[in-house]
Amino acid sequence: MKCLLVSDLHYALKQFDWTIAVAEEFDVVVVAGDHLDISGHVEGRAQIVVILNYLRRLNARVRLIVSSGNHDLDARNETGEKVARWMSKVRNLGVATDGDALDIDGTLFTICPWWDGPSSREQVAAQLARDARRDKKRWIWVYHAPPDHSATSWYSGRWEGDADLSGWIAEFVPDFVLSGHIHESPFQKQGSWVDRIGSTWVFNAGRQIGPTPTHVILNTERQEALWFSLAGAEVVRLAEPFRRPVDELQALPDWLRPLADRGTDPSRG
Ligand SMILES: [Fe+2]
């Protein structure tokens, strides 16, 4: 399975355009939250209309998975906690989203919502416990925030990750966690786009300016994960022991065609 992870596009419409342009190269595309830009000039409800249209077009090209992030909260639940209620409209497009589980050939994706308080947090805990009981060959979580005490949540001298997620990873031991949220972690000296916690691989795609989003490409058959950014490209081989520093990507693997921009081909800079 070839899976593309992007996150934190924050209403950067050119980055959505890029994601649509490359989508057909992948079996699955994951957009892991923060679709909106709450500090932007375009009103939130208008942003949602535009983003839904982009997600509809993406979903026409590829199996699409979309989670909410902390910039996507447009309503409150019965206990007053903020929630991304418009994810129900994402589901109506036929997209797997918050609260869903999606089985693709034995790989189970559990898609978690952003949680803003104890009631929504308990829903996530119940969701993970529910999916832990399901048969699966491989378990992948889509979860906007990276775990705490991980290079994937390092920001400017401290960790900014989700401590509850760290506990759930220890308890349920997923194979992969696909996240975003801490935009800068992949670019910081003590941060990274990748970490290994026990046997769990954690990715944080990060965020950058320009028309191409930072992105992670996971190939589960070839046991490789690649990260592309304006700062360079790196690779981890999942069957080998994890070590730092992570290897720079020297050339595209034979299973990956150059994508429609310079940012995915390190030889073109
Ligand atoms: Fe974000």
Side-chain angles (χ1 to χ4, degrees):
M1 176 187 295
K2 273 197 280 184
C3 175
L4 172 70
L5 165 66
V6 295
S7 184
D8 299 85
L9 301 188
H10 284 289
Y11 206 68
L13 299 182
K14 286 189 173 168
Q15 297 195 353
F16 279 99
D17 286 333
W18 178 89
T19 308
I20 290 172
V22 304
E24 287 171 337
E25 300 289 331
F26 301 96
D27 302 303
V28 183
V29 169
V30 174
V31 189
D34 276 6
H35 316 287
L36 308 182
D37 178 11
I38 53 175
S39 58
H41 301 297
V42 182
E43 199 260 335
R45 277 173 298 182
Q47 290 189 35
I48 289 172
V49 170
V50 172
I51 296 304
L52 285 170
N53 191 36
Y54 272 95
L55 296 179
R56 182 183 54 73
R57 290 167 56 203
L58 245 182
N59 194 48
R61 287 168 170 77
V62 70
R63 193 78 210 226
L64 179 61
I65 294 175
V66 169
S67 74
S68 60
N70 51 306
H71 275 242
D72 300 321
L73 311 176
D74 65 332
R76 290 184 185 272
N77 67 12
E78 57 286 349
T79 60
E81 296 171 2
K82 289 183 182 172
V83 293
R85 189 149 290 153
W86 65 283
M87 288 296 127
S88 65
K89 293 182 178 167
V90 174
R91 181 175 296 103
N92 289 343
L93 300 173
V95 176
T97 186
D98 287 0
D100 292 340
L102 176 67
D103 185 322
I104 303 176
D105 300 330
T107 294
L108 185 68
F109 287 86
T110 295
I111 305 126
C112 298
W114 177 265
W115 59 268
D116 189 50
S119 144
S120 348
R121 178 198 171 283
E122 283 315 303
Q123 286 176 10
V124 174
Q127 180 186 5
L128 296 174
R130 174 198 75 189
D131 287 358
R133 294 190 289 270
R134 290 182 55 146
D135 281 341
K136 51 194 162 305
K137 287 189 290 195
R138 184 181 296 116
W139 197 9
I140 301 179
W141 298 358
V142 178
Y143 194 110
H144 181 62
D148 212 12
H149 295 96
S150 160
T152 56
S153 61
W154 183 260
Y155 176 57
S156 205
R158 60 188 180 140
W159 291 290
E160 297 269 8
D162 183 323
D164 292 274
L165 175 61
S166 304
W168 288 323
I169 290 172
E171 181 178 359
F172 294 118
V173 195
D175 298 289
F176 297 95
V177 177
L178 310 183
S179 70
H181 187 51
I182 309 297
H183 304 168
E184 302 82 0
S185 298
F187 302 101
Q188 299 222 326
K189 197 167 181 214
Q190 295 179 68
S192 182
W193 62 279
V194 57
D195 197 6
R196 193 154 205 209
I197 301 173
S199 63
T200 301
W201 289 97
V202 178
F203 305 132
N204 170 359
R207 183 184 184 223
Q208 67 188 11
I209 58 168
T212 307
T214 49
H215 52 283
V216 175
I217 297 172
L218 168 65
N219 186 324
T220 55
E221 274 76 41
R222 301 295 286 268
Q223 292 280 287
E224 289 182 320
L226 317 175
W227 176 71
F228 295 92
S229 78
L230 293 171
E234 296 182 349
V235 57
V236 288
R237 293 172 183 84
L238 307 175
E240 297 175 7
F242 180 53
R243 58 184 160 71
R244 297 195 191 278
V246 174
D247 289 338
E248 281 184 29
L249 183 67
Q250 301 299 328
L252 283 185
D254 58 5
W255 52 265
L256 182 64
R257 293 200 303 174
L259 303 183
D261 77 282
R262 296 182 306 150
T264 54
D265 183 349
S267 66
R268 291 165 65 189

